[in-house]
Amino acid sequence: MPLPPLISFQEEFLSGSPIRKEYIHFSEVNCHDLDVWIGRISRTVSLEFLHEILFTILNELLVNACKANAKRVFFKEKGLNIHLETDYSKGIPMFKDAFGHNRKSIFAMLDQSSYQISLEAQNYPNFIEFKVRNNAKILNEEKNRIEIRVQSSGKYKNINDAYKESVDNEESSGLGIVLIHILLRNSGLKNQFFELITTEDYTEVIIRIPKLLIPLEQQNQIRSLLLKEVDGLPPLSPQIQKLIKLSKDKDVDWPKLAAEVQKEPAITAEILKIANAAFFGGHTKVTLVVDALKRIGLKNIESIFLALGARKIMNSRYAKQKSVWAHSFKTSLYSRFLGQSVHDFIKYSEIAPICGLLHDLGRMVLLSLDLSIIQQIRVLRSDEANEISEWVEEFTLGITHSDIGYLIAKKWNFPEEIIDVIRYHHKPWQCKSANLPICKMIYVSDILANTNRGKGNYYTIEPEILENFGIQNETEFRSLLERFKNKFEEHKDEFEELFN
Protein backbone atom coordinates (compact mmCIF):
# COMPACT_ATOMS: atom_id res chain seq x y z
CA MET A 1 0.00 0.00 0.00
CA PRO A 2 1.58 3.33 -1.04
CA LEU A 3 2.32 6.03 1.49
CA PRO A 4 -0.08 8.97 1.62
CA PRO A 5 1.30 12.36 0.46
CA LEU A 6 4.18 13.59 2.62
CA ILE A 7 2.56 16.72 4.06
CA SER A 8 -0.75 15.03 4.93
CA PHE A 9 1.15 12.11 6.49
CA GLN A 10 3.19 14.46 8.67
CA GLU A 11 0.19 16.57 9.65
CA GLU A 12 -1.79 13.49 10.67
CA PHE A 13 1.08 12.05 12.72
CA LEU A 14 1.90 15.37 14.42
CA SER A 15 -1.78 15.81 15.33
CA GLY A 16 -1.49 12.78 17.61
CA SER A 17 -3.61 10.48 15.47
CA PRO A 18 -2.26 6.90 15.41
CA ILE A 19 -1.03 5.63 12.07
CA ARG A 20 -1.24 1.93 11.43
CA LYS A 21 0.11 -0.88 9.26
CA GLU A 22 -1.28 -4.42 9.16
CA TYR A 23 0.26 -7.70 8.06
CA ILE A 24 -0.88 -11.30 7.80
CA HIS A 25 2.77 -12.35 7.81
CA PHE A 26 6.02 -10.37 7.82
CA SER A 27 9.31 -11.17 6.10
CA GLU A 28 12.14 -9.57 4.13
CA VAL A 29 9.59 -8.82 1.39
CA ASN A 30 8.03 -6.22 3.69
CA CYS A 31 11.31 -4.73 4.96
CA HIS A 32 11.73 -1.99 2.33
CA ASP A 33 8.19 -0.76 2.87
CA LEU A 34 8.78 -0.68 6.64
CA ASP A 35 12.10 1.13 6.16
CA VAL A 36 10.47 3.96 4.19
CA TRP A 37 7.61 4.22 6.71
CA ILE A 38 9.98 4.46 9.69
CA GLY A 39 12.13 6.99 7.85
CA ARG A 40 9.17 9.26 7.28
CA ILE A 41 8.12 9.06 10.95
CA SER A 42 11.63 9.70 12.28
CA ARG A 43 12.10 12.70 9.97
CA THR A 44 8.73 14.12 11.00
CA VAL A 45 9.81 14.37 14.66
CA SER A 46 13.52 15.14 14.02
CA LEU A 47 14.77 11.75 15.18
CA GLU A 48 16.53 10.85 11.93
CA PHE A 49 19.54 9.51 13.81
CA LEU A 50 17.34 6.72 15.19
CA HIS A 51 16.08 5.56 11.78
CA GLU A 52 18.33 2.51 11.46
CA ILE A 53 17.90 1.47 15.08
CA LEU A 54 14.12 1.87 14.99
CA PHE A 55 14.08 -0.24 11.85
CA THR A 56 16.12 -2.97 13.57
CA ILE A 57 13.84 -2.91 16.61
CA LEU A 58 10.51 -2.91 14.79
CA ASN A 59 11.65 -5.34 12.12
CA GLU A 60 12.55 -7.87 14.79
CA LEU A 61 9.37 -7.35 16.80
CA LEU A 62 7.30 -7.89 13.64
CA VAL A 63 9.27 -10.99 12.68
CA ASN A 64 8.82 -12.37 16.20
CA ALA A 65 5.07 -11.65 16.08
CA CYS A 66 4.91 -13.40 12.71
CA LYS A 67 6.82 -16.40 14.12
CA ALA A 68 4.50 -16.56 17.11
CA ASN A 69 1.45 -16.74 14.83
CA ALA A 70 3.17 -19.12 12.41
CA LYS A 71 4.12 -21.40 15.28
CA ARG A 72 0.48 -21.78 16.24
CA VAL A 73 -0.79 -22.67 12.77
CA PHE A 74 2.15 -25.07 12.32
CA PHE A 75 1.48 -26.87 15.61
CA LYS A 76 -2.20 -27.14 14.74
CA GLU A 77 -1.34 -28.57 11.32
CA LYS A 78 0.89 -31.18 12.95
CA GLY A 79 -1.74 -32.10 15.54
CA LEU A 80 0.43 -30.85 18.40
CA ASN A 81 -0.79 -28.95 21.48
CA ILE A 82 1.41 -25.90 21.76
CA HIS A 83 0.45 -25.49 25.44
CA LEU A 84 1.81 -28.92 26.43
CA GLU A 85 5.50 -28.92 27.35
CA THR A 86 6.15 -32.31 25.71
CA ASP A 87 4.46 -31.28 22.45
CA TYR A 88 6.23 -27.91 22.51
CA SER A 89 9.65 -29.57 22.89
CA LYS A 90 8.82 -31.98 20.08
CA GLY A 91 7.38 -29.36 17.72
CA ILE A 92 9.89 -26.49 18.05
CA PRO A 93 12.76 -28.18 16.12
CA MET A 94 10.29 -29.13 13.37
CA PHE A 95 8.93 -25.57 13.26
CA LYS A 96 12.39 -24.02 13.07
CA ASP A 97 13.32 -26.23 10.15
CA ALA A 98 10.04 -25.56 8.33
CA PHE A 99 10.21 -21.80 8.95
CA GLY A 100 13.76 -21.72 7.63
CA HIS A 101 13.30 -23.97 4.58
CA ASN A 102 9.60 -24.07 3.75
CA ARG A 103 8.31 -20.69 4.84
CA LYS A 104 5.97 -20.32 1.87
CA SER A 105 3.81 -23.22 3.03
CA ILE A 106 3.59 -21.75 6.54
CA PHE A 107 2.64 -18.34 5.12
CA ALA A 108 -0.01 -20.05 3.00
CA MET A 109 -1.46 -21.51 6.21
CA LEU A 110 -1.40 -18.05 7.81
CA ASP A 111 -3.28 -16.66 4.80
CA GLN A 112 -6.10 -19.10 5.55
CA SER A 113 -6.09 -18.38 9.30
CA SER A 114 -7.49 -15.56 11.44
CA TYR A 115 -4.03 -14.54 12.70
CA GLN A 116 -2.86 -10.98 12.04
CA ILE A 117 -0.11 -8.56 13.04
CA SER A 118 -0.46 -4.80 13.47
CA LEU A 119 2.07 -2.01 13.85
CA GLU A 120 0.90 1.33 15.21
CA ALA A 121 2.80 4.58 15.74
CA GLN A 122 1.53 7.59 17.67
CA ASN A 123 3.01 10.97 18.47
CA TYR A 124 2.88 12.39 22.00
CA PRO A 125 4.30 15.68 23.33
CA ASN A 126 7.40 14.08 24.89
CA PHE A 127 7.76 10.75 23.10
CA ILE A 128 6.66 8.63 20.17
CA GLU A 129 5.04 5.29 20.82
CA PHE A 130 5.11 2.10 18.75
CA LYS A 131 2.85 -0.90 19.34
CA VAL A 132 3.37 -4.30 17.75
CA ARG A 133 0.45 -6.67 18.31
CA ASN A 134 -0.39 -10.20 17.24
CA ASN A 135 -3.74 -11.81 18.07
CA ALA A 136 -2.43 -14.71 20.14
CA LYS A 137 -1.84 -15.11 23.86
CA ILE A 138 1.84 -15.33 24.74
CA LEU A 139 3.22 -18.67 25.94
CA ASN A 140 5.24 -18.91 29.14
CA GLU A 141 8.23 -20.08 27.10
CA GLU A 142 7.98 -17.01 24.85
CA LYS A 143 7.60 -14.69 27.83
CA ASN A 144 10.66 -16.20 29.49
CA ARG A 145 12.71 -15.55 26.36
CA ILE A 146 11.74 -11.87 26.38
CA GLU A 147 12.72 -11.57 30.05
CA ILE A 148 16.10 -13.16 29.29
CA ARG A 149 16.67 -10.61 26.52
CA VAL A 150 15.79 -7.72 28.81
CA GLN A 151 18.25 -8.99 31.43
CA SER A 152 20.98 -9.54 28.84
CA SER A 153 20.90 -5.88 27.79
CA GLY A 154 22.60 -4.93 31.06
CA LYS A 155 25.88 -6.55 30.05
CA TYR A 156 26.40 -4.29 27.05
CA LYS A 157 28.00 -0.89 27.43
CA ASN A 158 26.69 0.37 24.12
CA ILE A 159 24.78 -0.58 21.02
CA ASN A 160 27.92 -1.42 19.04
CA ASP A 161 28.75 -4.18 21.52
CA ALA A 162 25.23 -5.58 21.16
CA TYR A 163 25.52 -5.61 17.38
CA LYS A 164 28.81 -7.52 17.58
CA GLU A 165 27.48 -10.23 19.84
CA SER A 166 24.20 -11.86 18.87
CA VAL A 167 22.10 -13.09 21.80
CA ASP A 168 19.53 -15.88 22.03
CA ASN A 169 20.12 -17.57 18.69
CA GLU A 170 17.69 -20.39 19.39
CA GLU A 171 14.60 -18.75 17.87
CA SER A 172 15.69 -15.19 17.03
CA SER A 173 18.51 -12.84 17.87
CA GLY A 174 16.60 -10.80 20.43
CA LEU A 175 18.64 -7.78 19.34
CA GLY A 176 15.62 -5.48 19.02
CA ILE A 177 14.67 -5.69 22.68
CA VAL A 178 18.32 -5.35 23.72
CA LEU A 179 18.66 -2.21 21.58
CA ILE A 180 15.59 -0.64 23.17
CA HIS A 181 17.03 -1.01 26.65
CA ILE A 182 20.54 0.19 25.77
CA LEU A 183 19.23 3.16 23.80
CA LEU A 184 16.97 4.41 26.54
CA ARG A 185 18.90 3.27 29.60
CA ASN A 186 19.82 6.87 30.46
CA SER A 187 16.69 8.53 29.12
CA GLY A 188 15.04 9.08 32.51
CA LEU A 189 11.97 7.06 31.51
CA LYS A 190 13.36 3.87 33.03
CA ASN A 191 10.76 1.09 32.99
CA GLN A 192 8.18 3.12 31.13
CA PHE A 193 9.80 2.77 27.71
CA PHE A 194 9.14 -0.96 27.29
CA GLU A 195 5.91 -2.70 28.10
CA LEU A 196 4.56 -6.18 27.39
CA ILE A 197 0.79 -6.61 27.50
CA THR A 198 -0.91 -9.96 27.07
CA THR A 199 -4.54 -11.04 27.27
CA GLU A 200 -6.43 -14.15 26.22
CA ASP A 201 -6.84 -12.58 22.77
CA TYR A 202 -3.56 -10.83 21.94
CA THR A 203 0.05 -10.04 22.84
CA GLU A 204 1.34 -6.49 22.46
CA VAL A 205 4.79 -4.95 22.85
CA ILE A 206 4.87 -1.20 23.42
CA ILE A 207 8.01 0.91 23.11
CA ARG A 208 8.21 4.63 23.80
CA ILE A 209 11.02 6.73 22.34
CA PRO A 210 11.59 10.03 24.18
CA LYS A 211 12.14 13.14 22.09
CA LEU A 212 14.69 14.46 24.60
CA LEU A 213 17.47 12.09 25.62
CA ILE A 214 18.87 14.38 28.30
CA PRO A 215 17.13 16.63 30.86
CA LEU A 216 15.88 19.96 29.53
CA GLU A 217 18.03 21.98 31.95
CA GLN A 218 21.19 20.28 30.71
CA GLN A 219 20.07 20.69 27.13
CA ASN A 220 19.59 24.43 27.64
CA GLN A 221 23.08 24.75 29.13
CA ILE A 222 24.66 23.15 26.09
CA ARG A 223 22.50 25.14 23.70
CA SER A 224 23.73 28.31 25.41
CA LEU A 225 27.34 27.20 24.86
CA LEU A 226 26.67 26.70 21.17
CA LEU A 227 24.92 30.04 20.75
CA LYS A 228 27.77 31.75 22.57
CA GLU A 229 30.22 30.09 20.18
CA VAL A 230 28.31 31.37 17.17
CA ASP A 231 28.08 34.87 18.64
CA GLY A 232 31.86 34.78 19.12
CA LEU A 233 32.59 34.14 15.45
CA PRO A 234 34.27 37.17 13.85
CA PRO A 235 32.65 38.93 10.89
CA LEU A 236 33.91 38.27 7.39
CA SER A 237 37.10 40.18 6.68
CA PRO A 238 36.71 43.81 5.51
CA GLN A 239 38.25 42.94 2.14
CA ILE A 240 35.82 40.06 1.57
CA GLN A 241 32.93 42.32 2.55
CA LYS A 242 34.12 44.95 0.09
CA LEU A 243 34.39 42.38 -2.70
CA ILE A 244 30.91 41.10 -1.96
CA LYS A 245 29.52 44.63 -2.06
CA LEU A 246 31.15 45.30 -5.45
CA SER A 247 29.92 41.98 -6.88
CA LYS A 248 26.30 42.79 -5.93
CA ASP A 249 26.25 45.62 -8.46
CA LYS A 250 24.31 44.54 -11.57
CA ASP A 251 26.48 46.87 -13.63
CA VAL A 252 29.64 45.56 -12.06
CA ASP A 253 32.87 47.28 -12.99
CA TRP A 254 34.97 44.20 -13.79
CA PRO A 255 38.37 45.96 -13.88
CA LYS A 256 37.62 47.66 -10.55
CA LEU A 257 36.56 44.36 -8.99
CA ALA A 258 39.67 42.65 -10.35
CA ALA A 259 41.86 45.40 -8.90
CA GLU A 260 40.31 44.86 -5.46
CA VAL A 261 40.80 41.09 -5.71
CA GLN A 262 44.48 41.57 -6.55
CA LYS A 263 45.02 43.45 -3.28
CA GLU A 264 44.83 40.04 -1.58
CA PRO A 265 47.31 37.55 -3.14
CA ALA A 266 45.60 34.58 -1.48
CA ILE A 267 42.20 35.55 -2.92
CA THR A 268 43.77 36.19 -6.32
CA ALA A 269 45.27 32.69 -6.36
CA GLU A 270 41.94 31.13 -5.36
CA ILE A 271 39.97 32.99 -8.03
CA LEU A 272 42.40 31.94 -10.78
CA LYS A 273 42.39 28.34 -9.57
CA ILE A 274 38.58 28.19 -9.49
CA ALA A 275 38.15 29.83 -12.90
CA ASN A 276 40.57 27.37 -14.52
CA ALA A 277 38.97 24.29 -13.00
CA ALA A 278 36.60 21.91 -14.75
CA PHE A 279 34.11 23.03 -12.12
CA PHE A 280 33.58 26.17 -14.24
CA GLY A 281 34.31 24.57 -17.59
CA GLY A 282 37.80 25.96 -17.93
CA HIS A 283 39.04 24.45 -21.19
CA THR A 284 41.50 27.24 -21.98
CA LYS A 285 43.58 28.69 -19.18
CA VAL A 286 42.98 32.28 -18.06
CA THR A 287 45.78 34.24 -16.42
CA LEU A 288 44.15 37.63 -15.92
CA VAL A 289 41.99 38.11 -12.83
CA VAL A 290 39.41 40.11 -14.77
CA ASP A 291 38.97 37.22 -17.22
CA ALA A 292 38.76 34.76 -14.33
CA LEU A 293 35.99 36.77 -12.67
CA LYS A 294 34.00 36.98 -15.89
CA ARG A 295 34.30 33.22 -16.43
CA ILE A 296 33.00 32.52 -12.92
CA GLY A 297 30.15 34.89 -13.65
CA LEU A 298 28.13 37.46 -11.76
CA LYS A 299 25.64 34.87 -10.46
CA ASN A 300 28.42 32.90 -8.75
CA ILE A 301 31.07 35.40 -7.78
CA GLU A 302 29.35 36.71 -4.62
CA SER A 303 28.90 33.17 -3.34
CA ILE A 304 32.52 32.33 -4.17
CA PHE A 305 33.70 35.30 -2.09
CA LEU A 306 31.42 34.19 0.74
CA ALA A 307 32.79 30.65 0.56
CA LEU A 308 36.37 31.90 0.63
CA GLY A 309 35.68 34.20 3.59
CA ALA A 310 33.80 31.56 5.54
CA ARG A 311 36.44 28.93 4.89
CA LYS A 312 39.22 31.18 6.15
CA ILE A 313 37.42 31.83 9.45
CA MET A 314 36.28 28.23 9.98
CA ASN A 315 39.68 26.75 9.15
CA SER A 316 41.43 29.08 11.58
CA ARG A 317 39.09 28.17 14.46
CA TYR A 318 38.10 24.54 14.07
CA ALA A 319 40.54 21.65 13.90
CA LYS A 320 37.90 19.18 12.75
CA GLN A 321 36.97 21.11 9.61
CA LYS A 322 38.83 18.94 7.09
CA SER A 323 36.40 16.01 6.98
CA VAL A 324 33.43 18.39 6.86
CA TRP A 325 34.88 20.29 3.90
CA ALA A 326 35.61 17.01 2.12
CA HIS A 327 32.00 15.87 2.46
CA SER A 328 30.67 19.33 1.59
CA PHE A 329 32.74 19.45 -1.56
CA LYS A 330 31.51 16.04 -2.69
CA THR A 331 27.92 17.16 -1.99
CA SER A 332 28.64 20.30 -4.01
CA LEU A 333 29.85 18.34 -7.03
CA TYR A 334 27.03 15.80 -6.80
CA SER A 335 24.49 18.65 -6.84
CA ARG A 336 26.12 19.93 -10.01
CA PHE A 337 25.91 16.47 -11.59
CA LEU A 338 22.29 16.23 -10.48
CA GLY A 339 21.41 19.56 -12.05
CA GLN A 340 23.06 18.55 -15.30
CA SER A 341 21.20 15.20 -15.30
CA VAL A 342 17.65 16.42 -14.68
CA HIS A 343 16.17 18.96 -17.10
CA ASP A 344 13.95 20.73 -14.56
CA PHE A 345 16.98 21.49 -12.37
CA ILE A 346 19.53 22.54 -15.01
CA LYS A 347 19.04 26.23 -14.24
CA TYR A 348 20.20 25.62 -10.64
CA SER A 349 23.35 23.71 -11.57
CA GLU A 350 25.60 26.72 -10.95
CA ILE A 351 24.23 28.07 -7.68
CA ALA A 352 23.49 24.66 -6.11
CA PRO A 353 27.19 23.67 -5.88
CA ILE A 354 27.99 26.83 -3.91
CA CYS A 355 25.11 26.09 -1.55
CA GLY A 356 26.34 22.51 -1.24
CA LEU A 357 29.80 23.72 -0.33
CA LEU A 358 28.42 25.75 2.58
CA HIS A 359 25.55 23.53 3.73
CA ASP A 360 27.40 21.98 6.69
CA LEU A 361 29.01 25.06 8.27
CA GLY A 362 27.12 24.39 11.49
CA ARG A 363 28.61 20.92 11.83
CA MET A 364 32.09 22.42 12.20
CA VAL A 365 30.95 24.38 15.24
CA LEU A 366 29.12 21.41 16.71
CA LEU A 367 32.05 19.03 16.34
CA SER A 368 34.50 21.55 17.75
CA LEU A 369 32.98 21.92 21.20
CA ASP A 370 34.03 19.96 24.24
CA LEU A 371 30.70 18.36 25.05
CA SER A 372 31.92 16.49 28.14
CA ILE A 373 28.76 17.64 29.90
CA ILE A 374 26.82 15.05 27.91
CA GLN A 375 29.38 12.24 27.77
CA GLN A 376 27.15 10.02 29.88
CA ILE A 377 24.34 9.99 27.31
CA ARG A 378 26.35 9.05 24.24
CA VAL A 379 24.57 5.73 24.19
CA LEU A 380 25.43 4.95 20.59
CA ARG A 381 29.10 5.69 20.87
CA SER A 382 31.71 2.99 21.33
CA ASP A 383 35.21 3.58 22.62
CA GLU A 384 36.16 4.07 19.00
CA ALA A 385 34.79 7.14 17.23
CA ASN A 386 31.92 6.39 14.88
CA GLU A 387 29.83 8.41 12.47
CA ILE A 388 26.51 7.93 14.21
CA SER A 389 27.58 9.73 17.40
CA GLU A 390 27.42 13.11 15.62
CA TRP A 391 23.68 12.65 15.10
CA VAL A 392 23.08 11.55 18.66
CA GLU A 393 24.95 14.49 20.09
CA GLU A 394 23.21 17.18 18.09
CA PHE A 395 19.70 15.82 18.50
CA THR A 396 20.12 15.32 22.24
CA LEU A 397 21.26 18.93 22.43
CA GLY A 398 17.99 20.16 20.99
CA ILE A 399 19.80 22.19 18.34
CA THR A 400 21.00 20.74 15.06
CA HIS A 401 23.95 21.65 12.89
CA SER A 402 21.38 23.07 10.46
CA ASP A 403 20.15 25.46 13.18
CA ILE A 404 23.71 26.50 14.02
CA GLY A 405 24.61 26.97 10.36
CA TYR A 406 21.50 29.08 9.84
CA LEU A 407 22.60 31.42 12.66
CA ILE A 408 26.08 31.72 11.13
CA ALA A 409 24.65 32.41 7.68
CA LYS A 410 22.41 35.16 9.07
CA LYS A 411 25.33 36.64 10.98
CA TRP A 412 27.41 36.84 7.79
CA ASN A 413 24.51 38.10 5.62
CA PHE A 414 24.53 35.16 3.22
CA PRO A 415 22.16 35.28 0.23
CA GLU A 416 18.72 33.79 0.86
CA GLU A 417 19.31 30.72 -1.30
CA ILE A 418 22.34 29.70 0.79
CA ILE A 419 20.53 30.46 4.06
CA ASP A 420 17.58 28.30 3.02
CA VAL A 421 19.80 25.41 1.96
CA ILE A 422 21.74 25.48 5.23
CA ARG A 423 18.50 25.56 7.20
CA TYR A 424 16.47 23.00 5.21
CA HIS A 425 18.95 20.62 3.59
CA HIS A 426 17.67 17.74 5.73
CA LYS A 427 14.01 18.77 5.41
CA PRO A 428 13.52 20.55 2.08
CA TRP A 429 9.74 20.15 2.30
CA GLN A 430 9.78 22.79 5.06
CA CYS A 431 11.20 25.42 2.69
CA LYS A 432 8.38 27.69 1.48
CA SER A 433 10.45 30.00 -0.71
CA ALA A 434 11.50 29.89 -4.36
CA ASN A 435 14.67 28.15 -3.18
CA LEU A 436 12.83 24.86 -2.62
CA PRO A 437 14.34 23.20 -5.76
CA ILE A 438 17.88 23.98 -4.58
CA CYS A 439 17.08 22.61 -1.10
CA LYS A 440 15.84 19.40 -2.73
CA MET A 441 19.05 19.14 -4.80
CA ILE A 442 21.30 19.47 -1.75
CA TYR A 443 19.10 17.09 0.28
CA VAL A 444 19.52 14.34 -2.33
CA SER A 445 23.19 15.17 -3.06
CA ASP A 446 24.06 15.15 0.65
CA ILE A 447 22.63 11.64 1.06
CA LEU A 448 24.26 10.44 -2.17
CA ALA A 449 27.63 11.69 -0.90
CA ASN A 450 27.01 10.06 2.49
CA THR A 451 25.96 6.77 0.91
CA ASN A 452 29.51 6.30 -0.34
CA ARG A 453 30.60 6.52 3.31
CA GLY A 454 28.06 3.93 4.43
CA LYS A 455 25.63 6.50 5.82
CA GLY A 456 22.20 6.59 4.25
CA ASN A 457 20.69 4.70 1.33
CA TYR A 458 17.76 4.74 -1.09
CA TYR A 459 15.28 4.12 1.73
CA THR A 460 16.47 7.06 3.82
CA ILE A 461 15.38 9.55 1.13
CA GLU A 462 11.81 10.79 1.02
CA PRO A 463 10.15 9.01 -1.96
CA GLU A 464 8.34 12.16 -3.12
CA ILE A 465 11.65 14.00 -3.40
CA LEU A 466 13.22 11.17 -5.40
CA GLU A 467 10.33 11.33 -7.86
CA ASN A 468 11.24 14.98 -8.59
CA PHE A 469 14.50 13.66 -10.03
CA GLY A 470 12.90 10.79 -11.94
CA ILE A 471 14.13 8.11 -9.54
CA GLN A 472 11.41 5.49 -9.18
CA ASN A 473 13.22 2.56 -7.56
CA GLU A 474 16.41 1.41 -5.87
CA THR A 475 17.97 0.20 -9.13
CA GLU A 476 17.69 3.68 -10.65
CA PHE A 477 19.08 5.20 -7.44
CA ARG A 478 22.10 2.89 -7.48
CA SER A 479 22.69 3.58 -11.17
CA LEU A 480 22.68 7.34 -10.54
CA LEU A 481 24.99 6.94 -7.56
CA GLU A 482 27.44 4.84 -9.55
CA ARG A 483 27.52 7.42 -12.37
CA PHE A 484 28.17 10.27 -9.97
CA LYS A 485 30.80 8.32 -8.09
CA ASN A 486 32.70 7.48 -11.28
CA LYS A 487 32.42 11.04 -12.53
CA PHE A 488 33.77 12.37 -9.25
CA GLU A 489 36.64 9.87 -9.17
CA GLU A 490 37.69 10.84 -12.71
CA HIS A 491 38.38 14.42 -11.60
CA LYS A 492 38.84 13.86 -7.87
CA ASP A 493 42.31 15.39 -7.59
CA GLU A 494 41.32 18.46 -9.58
CA PHE A 495 38.09 18.93 -7.65
CA GLU A 496 39.67 18.48 -4.22
CA GLU A 497 42.50 20.88 -5.04
CA LEU A 498 40.01 23.69 -5.56
CA PHE A 499 39.33 24.34 -1.89
CA ASN A 500 42.44 22.89 -0.26
Side-chain angles (χ1 to χ4, degrees):
M1 182 177 177
L3 283 170
L6 171 62
I7 301 302
S8 59
F9 179 98
Q10 292 187 331
E11 288 176 349
E12 181 180 7
F13 186 65
L14 291 173
S15 73
S17 300
I19 57 175
R20 186 180 177 91
K21 296 177 72 65
E22 294 184 348
Y23 305 94
I24 294 174
H25 38 72
F26 185 89
S27 69
E28 59 275 3
V29 175
N30 309 104
C31 285
H32 292 163
D33 173 67
L34 176 67
D35 204 354
V36 173
W37 189 79
I38 292 170
R40 180 168 282 190
I41 288 173
S42 63
R43 286 189 291 270
T44 298
V45 291
S46 296
L47 290 174
E48 292 95 326
F49 75 98
L50 291 180
H51 181 161
E52 183 179 350
I53 294 164
L54 282 175
F55 173 78
T56 302
I57 292 169
L58 295 175
N59 180 67
E60 182 180 311
L61 292 178
L62 287 165
V63 168
N64 287 348
C66 177
K67 283 184 178 180
N69 287 350
K71 197 187 303 179
R72 283 152 178 79
V73 297
F74 180 84
F75 271 64
K76 184 177 180 181
E77 173 74 14
K78 297 299 181 184
L80 297 171
N81 187 340
I82 199 169
H83 300 285
L84 289 178
E85 187 176 339
T86 53
D87 278 10
Y88 189 83
S89 298
K90 178 182 177 182
I92 278 296
M94 297 165 58
F95 169 72
K96 286 173 61 180
D97 182 68
F99 196 83
H101 299 99
N102 195 19
R103 195 173 302 180
K104 283 186 178 180
S105 66
I106 296 180
F107 283 0
M109 288 188 279
L110 280 171
D111 287 334
Q112 301 303 314
S113 75
S114 60
Y115 287 109
Q116 292 181 325
I117 310 163
S118 67
L119 168 61
E120 186 176 283
Q122 192 165 0
N123 182 51
Y124 291 90
N126 298 319
F127 60 89
I128 53 174
E129 181 178 85
F130 295 95
K131 296 178 180 178
V132 177
R133 175 187 288 200
N134 64 302
N135 54 338
K137 181 182 179 180
I138 197 170
L139 302 172
N140 287 333
E141 178 71 17
E142 293 167 335
K143 189 174 182 180
N144 289 338
R145 288 188 179 280
I146 290 176
E147 290 174 352
I148 290 171
R149 291 165 191 163
V150 171
Q151 292 170 5
S152 73
S153 67
K155 72 177 182 178
Y156 300 107
K157 293 181 180 179
N158 53 60
I159 282 175
N160 285 347
D161 289 346
Y163 270 119
K164 290 174 185 174
E165 182 181 344
S166 179
V167 295
D168 189 9
N169 288 315
E170 191 168 331
E171 287 192 41
S172 66
S173 70
L175 184 59
I177 293 172
V178 172
L179 290 179
I180 297 167
H181 283 74
I182 298 173
L183 173 65
L184 301 174
R185 186 182 288 156
N186 299 320
S187 68
L189 294 184
K190 299 189 177 178
N191 295 329
Q192 298 175 35
F193 59 76
F194 177 87
E195 189 176 354
L196 174 65
I197 297 174
T198 183
T199 70
E200 294 297 320
D201 301 315
Y202 67 85
T203 300
E204 185 172 76
V205 173
I206 303 174
I207 62 171
R208 300 179 181 95
I209 308 295
K211 294 177 181 176
L212 294 180
L213 297 184
I214 58 173
L216 185 60
E217 181 181 354
Q218 226 174 2
Q219 189 182 80
N220 287 336
Q221 290 177 21
I222 299 166
R223 184 183 174 93
S224 295
L225 282 175
L226 287 163
L227 295 177
K228 185 178 179 181
E229 180 73 13
V230 173
D231 286 342
L233 286 173
L236 296 174
S237 72
Q239 184 62 12
I240 286 289
Q241 290 187 53
K242 187 173 184 179
L243 291 172
I244 291 170
K245 184 178 179 181
L246 288 172
S247 65
K248 284 179 180 290
D249 191 344
K250 291 181 180 179
D251 298 317
V252 61
D253 184 333
W254 291 107
K256 182 178 179 180
L257 181 60
E260 286 297 329
V261 166
Q262 288 173 282
K263 290 180 180 179
E264 288 279 353
I267 297 176
T268 301
E270 293 286 358
I271 292 297
L272 288 170
K273 184 166 63 174
I274 292 168
N276 284 306
F279 193 75
F280 280 101
H283 301 298
T284 57
K285 188 173 182 179
V286 294
T287 56
L288 298 177
V289 173
V290 68
D291 293 334
L293 292 170
K294 287 179 180 179
R295 175 177 286 180
I296 292 170
L298 196 57
K299 286 193 299 183
N300 297 305
I301 196 64
E302 178 189 354
S303 298
I304 291 290
F305 289 146
L306 281 167
L308 293 174
R311 192 191 61 171
K312 184 175 181 180
I313 292 173
M314 302 306 268
N315 287 6
S316 67
R317 290 177 70 94
Y318 303 120
K320 296 182 180 180
Q321 50 76 28
K322 198 166 185 178
S323 64
V324 180
W325 279 126
H327 167 69
S328 295
F329 196 67
K330 180 171 280 189
T331 300
S332 172
L333 265 296
Y334 277 26
S335 72
R336 187 176 183 86
F337 302 157
L338 197 61
Q340 293 169 342
S341 301
V342 183
H343 181 268
D344 290 347
F345 292 85
I346 288 177
K347 61 183 176 182
Y348 306 110
S349 58
E350 288 191 2
I351 187 60
I354 304 300
C355 296
L357 190 66
L358 296 168
H359 80 283
D360 260 353
L361 283 183
R363 192 179 291 283
M364 294 186 192
V365 177
L366 185 69
L367 295 182
S368 73
L369 294 185
D370 177 11
L371 301 179
S372 56
I373 190 172
I374 59 160
Q375 279 284 67
Q376 69 273 20
I377 60 88
R378 289 181 178 173
V379 291
L380 301 187
R381 186 166 188 166
S382 65
D383 293 332
E384 302 170 0
N386 64 68
E387 298 288 349
I388 209 166
S389 65
E390 297 174 15
W391 290 87
V392 177
E393 287 165 10
E394 68 178 73
F395 279 98
T396 51
L397 299 180
I399 184 169
T400 69
H401 70 277
S402 300
D403 297 326
I404 299 166
Y406 168 73
L407 295 174
I408 296 171
K410 293 289 282 186
K411 178 185 179 77
W412 288 343
N413 295 315
F414 280 13
E416 285 302 317
E417 59 266 23
I418 298 179
I419 291 176
D420 281 348
V421 163
I422 289 174
R423 191 176 193 184
Y424 300 119
H425 66 271
H426 286 303
K427 295 183 178 181
W429 47 87
Q430 291 185 355
C431 179
K432 306 302 180 185
S433 74
N435 299 315
L436 174 60
I438 309 174
C439 293
K440 289 179 179 179
M441 291 175 73
I442 303 305
Y443 166 73
V444 173
S445 301
D446 179 51
I447 296 176
L448 283 167
N450 267 328
T451 299
N452 287 327
R453 299 193 296 159
K455 293 173 61 179
N457 55 58
Y458 170 75
Y459 299 100
T460 61
I461 306 181
E462 189 54 53
E464 287 186 21
I465 305 296
L466 284 175
E467 289 176 8
N468 293 157
F469 297 94
I471 302 170
Q472 302 294 333
N473 53 56
E474 187 176 10
T475 301
E476 292 177 355
F477 175 83
R478 289 185 176 277
S479 175
L480 182 77
L481 177 61
E482 193 63 24
R483 286 207 323 270
F484 286 8
K485 182 180 177 182
N486 291 338
K487 198 171 181 179
F488 180 80
E489 290 296 328
E490 286 175 14
H491 304 282
K492 183 178 179 181
D493 294 340
E494 181 182 4
F495 288 152
E496 290 185 341
E497 184 189 356
L498 272 179
F499 285 91
N500 283 340

